[in-house]
Amino acid sequence: MIREAILGIGAAATVFCLYLGINAFPFVLLAILLFAMSVVAERKGALTTGRKERTSTHRVEFGNIGGQEMAKRELMEALDFLRFRDKISSLGIRPLKGILLTGPPGTGKTLMAKAAATYTDSVFVSASGSEFVEMYVGVGASRVRELFKKARTLAKNENKDSAIIFIDEIDVIGGKRGGGQGHQEYDQTLNQLLTEMDGMQTTTNPLVLVVAATNRVDMLDPALLRPGRFDRQIKVDLPDKEGRLHILKIQTANKPLAEDVDLETIAKESYGFSGAQLESLTNEAAILAMRENKTKIETEHLRDAVNKVLLGEKTGKRPSPDELLRVSVHELGHAIASESVRPNSVAHITIAPRGNALGFVRQIPEADAYLYTKEQLEGQIMVALAGTVSEELLFGNRSTGASNDFVQASQLARTMISCGLSSLGIVDAENLQRNVLDEEIRRILAEMEERTRQLLAQYKPGIESLSKTLVEEESMTGEAFHEWMKQQKAKCA
Ligand code: ADP
Ligand code: MG
Ligand code: ZN
């Protein structure tokens, strides 16, 4: 920055002097000298910045990240704390200190952290949890200290108001303290991180924001998640078809594609792929094209690359088309029941894999979730059972995908009994004879199952056609589903 300015001013001054007829030679010499000095200073700066911690070289922007619309939106919202800090402080809002990105490997968490630095015009310093683990006690803790110091110094040197520290694999140092391995070194490192974050000034320059990533959020020490630490969690999940298409477009932007290549089919065939796998897919396809001496990447190359990445990396789950149809039918059952029991309650339906679930219906939580009436509990039991009932209705049989649903349904039935909402009347469920309790649970579930069957039977043709669409699209928004339900109801009436 400064160097460019000096160059510009120097050139302008020289021209001006020539214009006035003054000998500009001494000025030119001075300019060259200044320029050389600034180059040397920068070299030195680069040499002295971190051995372990890396600083970003090229800028990543949110536009370079495909899919992840929700995560990007949430992250940008959180980052406005840094961008509009005057407004934040005038309202007395406590600035954010830590953001936790959670999700499987290769979904773009590192990219997000880098984009966050670009978006907020911050310096970016990163380290990985495993780098803090050393043989010697205390080394990890001092590395944490160095990392924070580095971020501040770098921000000052580069004249930036804020710094983003990215800690990848935070679970390595942020695992539950004292538990399991009981490794003292990990504890000290974690303690140091907590101390640094607690001591972080939220008013003076530069503001520091810690962004951490993990795919094992369940492993983290609760102390890390407390207010003032990583109190903002953002899920970065595997992309659905739309997301994959977006990522493929980004990753092929610099590659020559044959005219007839339809990335949408490739997005469909790469079900369950992460962003990193999609990147590797496009790279493999380019290599295959080169091997055949082609100048453009063809559909066949991309198809072969899908298989190559799959075989190479052995992604755990990859349902067959039949299974996907079954999952769709199952999830639509849940969704229809949910919408019938409580209109506009479905927020999202998806058959893209999430964690160890093949499909998922996200419900908008009930406004007052403290007390439930009997009807509400019955409704929830119906929603839980509707997946299986829907499968049975369309395929004539059930599958093993619903064990979780049944656990949920029987827990709800148990709640009904212990709250005196069952046919047993007011009872002490604790002291109820085991077989009486079991019998009543069974009775409630059977009744609700029958009711669910009658409900879904009206929608059978609808489920049949919509499930095929869902297999194609992989996910459906709440709004689109509400609309569909309205049309179905109009047909039934
Ligand atoms: P993570 O940190 O979640 O493990 P990374 O951000 O390191 O994942 O992603 C690794 C590589 O995979 C990136 O450099 C990029 O090439 C590719 N990639 C991953 N997710 C995306 C995405 N959402 N959009 C574009 N490229 C992605
Ligand atoms: Mg990463
Ligand atoms: Zn289910």
Side-chain angles (χ1 to χ4, degrees):
M1 267 307 276
I2 296 172
R3 219 199 301 159
E4 275 83 12
I6 294 172
L7 268 182
I9 293 169
T14 315
V15 171
F16 189 62
C17 291
L18 281 176
Y19 173 73
L20 291 179
I22 300 171
N23 182 3
F25 184 68
F27 296 104
V28 174
L29 208 67
L30 186 71
I32 290 172
L33 208 71
L34 275 173
F35 181 71
M37 272 164 63
S38 75
V39 170
V40 170
E42 195 185 73
R43 281 272 163 77
K44 227 168 149 188
L47 280 181
T48 48
T49 43
R51 174 180 47 94
K52 278 278 172 190
E53 304 83 16
R54 295 166 299 272
T55 52
S56 71
T57 41
H58 77 280
R59 295 154 64 86
V60 177
E61 289 174 16
F62 280 117
N64 305 130
I65 303 174
Q68 309 299 358
E69 294 308 325
M70 278 271 281
K72 280 198 278 187
R73 193 161 357 112
E74 278 179 43
L75 183 56
M76 285 203 235
E77 246 170 53
L79 291 172
D80 284 341
F81 276 75
L82 278 185
R83 304 213 313 156
F84 308 113
R85 50 202 286 190
D86 295 342
K87 207 161 144 197
I88 300 295
S89 69
S90 75
L91 283 170
I93 297 173
R94 164 171 59 77
L96 213 58
K97 288 180 176 180
I99 296 176
L100 188 63
L101 305 175
T102 66
T107 46
K109 296 183 291 299
T110 309
L111 286 182
M112 293 264 198
K114 287 186 177 166
T118 310
Y119 183 69
T120 55
D121 192 28
S122 308
V123 292
F124 180 79
V125 182
S126 82
S128 171
S130 51
E131 289 169 18
F132 295 104
V133 180
E134 287 270 325
M135 292 292 285
Y136 306 107
V137 172
V139 173
S142 79
R143 287 216 177 122
V144 170
R145 221 165 12 239
E146 271 172 36
L147 183 65
F148 278 77
K149 216 168 101 192
K150 175 120 324 133
R152 288 193 194 94
T153 323
L154 206 63
K156 266 190 202 121
N157 289 351
E158 293 193 10
N159 240 331
K160 301 265 168 108
D161 290 334
S162 50
I164 287 185
I165 298 178
F166 177 60
I167 304 179
D168 208 352
E169 302 177 45
I170 187 133
D171 42 296
V172 176
I173 53 168
K176 295 194 173 76
R177 275 177 295 187
Q181 310 145 310
H183 201 303
Q184 204 196 358
E185 169 64 4
Y186 293 71
D187 293 1
Q188 283 200 11
T189 310
L190 176 57
N191 284 339
Q192 186 60 40
L193 178 63
L194 296 179
T195 311
E196 289 287 347
M197 288 186 79
D198 289 344
M200 257 158 53
Q201 293 292 327
T202 51
T203 46
T204 50
N205 266 355
L207 267 193
V208 177
L209 177 71
V210 187
V211 179
T214 180
N215 58 346
R216 297 299 316 269
V217 68
D218 53 308
M219 294 264 294
L220 293 184
D221 194 301
L224 266 175
L225 308 176
R226 250 175 244 152
R229 292 168 180 172
F230 293 100
D231 49 5
R232 193 68 66 106
Q233 277 188 34
I234 296 173
K235 256 192 132 92
V236 190
D237 258 321
L238 288 176
D240 62 6
K241 196 180 109 193
E242 278 303 302
R244 293 200 299 275
L245 180 60
H246 191 183
I247 296 172
L248 282 173
K249 279 184 183 154
I250 292 173
Q251 298 294 0
T252 52
N254 64 350
K255 297 182 175 70
L257 293 183
E259 285 73 29
D260 62 344
V261 166
D262 181 20
L263 285 180
E264 201 153 334
T265 39
I266 304 300
K268 203 175 145 208
E269 288 174 21
S270 51
Y271 177 93
F273 274 35
S274 70
Q277 285 174 316
L278 292 170
E279 192 272 337
S280 141
L281 184 168
T282 57
N283 197 50
E284 286 297 334
I287 292 172
L288 290 173
M290 188 181 72
R291 251 183 229 157
E292 293 178 10
N293 281 326
K294 298 273 169 67
T295 52
K296 289 193 171 157
I297 300 170
E298 293 162 9
T299 305
E300 273 318 300
H301 300 137
L302 289 159
R303 282 234 163 93
D304 287 350
V306 171
N307 295 332
K308 184 141 194 227
V309 173
L310 263 180
L311 293 176
E313 306 204 21
K314 281 211 187 73
T315 44
K317 277 188 205 117
R318 194 173 164 81
S320 66
D322 285 351
E323 283 172 321
L324 283 179
L325 187 63
R326 188 179 277 274
V327 174
S328 293
V329 165
H330 179 103
E331 298 307 327
L332 284 178
H334 284 310
I336 292 171
S338 172
E339 204 67 11
S340 310
V341 178
R342 193 155 56 87
N344 295 332
S345 60
V346 172
H348 194 78
I349 309 171
T350 174
I351 58 160
R354 291 277 188 290
N356 46 20
L358 288 176
F360 187 60
V361 172
R362 190 156 54 80
Q363 284 182 289
I364 297 164
E366 201 133 19
D368 60 326
Y370 301 109
L371 291 173
Y372 290 109
T373 62
K374 183 179 177 210
E375 285 67 35
Q376 283 171 324
L377 286 171
E378 285 179 345
Q380 277 179 282
I381 294 176
M382 286 172 70
V383 174
L385 295 177
T388 295
V389 172
S390 181
E391 282 183 54
E392 208 167 42
L393 211 59
L394 274 100
F395 302 116
N397 57 18
R398 304 177 165 201
S399 71
T400 55
S403 58
N404 214 13
D405 294 340
F406 295 147
V407 172
Q408 212 185 337
S410 29
Q411 262 162 9
L412 287 161
R414 201 177 296 261
T415 306
M416 278 177 68
I417 296 169
S418 61
C419 296
L421 298 173
S422 74
S423 68
L424 296 177
I426 297 172
V427 289
D428 178 2
E430 292 279 297
N431 295 321
L432 211 57
Q433 256 185 330
R434 183 85 212 185
N435 59 342
V436 178
L437 183 68
D438 285 349
E439 188 46 46
E440 181 61 9
I441 291 178
R442 201 167 306 141
R443 198 197 58 74
I444 294 174
L445 294 186
E447 190 187 327
M448 288 308 118
E449 192 181 328
E450 186 46 39
R451 226 190 269 179
T452 311
R453 191 168 294 120
Q454 279 169 19
L455 170 72
L456 291 186
Q458 306 166 38
Y459 292 92
K460 192 175 167 187
I463 299 175
E464 196 154 11
S465 67
L466 187 60
S467 59
K468 291 189 184 114
T469 317
L470 189 56
V471 168
E472 290 291 313
E473 308 283 327
E474 274 180 39
S475 58
M476 189 171 187
T477 64
E479 291 85 52
F481 186 67
H482 301 160
E483 204 43 51
W484 181 85
M485 277 297 278
K486 260 188 222 136
Q487 287 166 9
Q488 291 293 309
K489 276 190 184 143
K491 264 187 219 162
C492 291

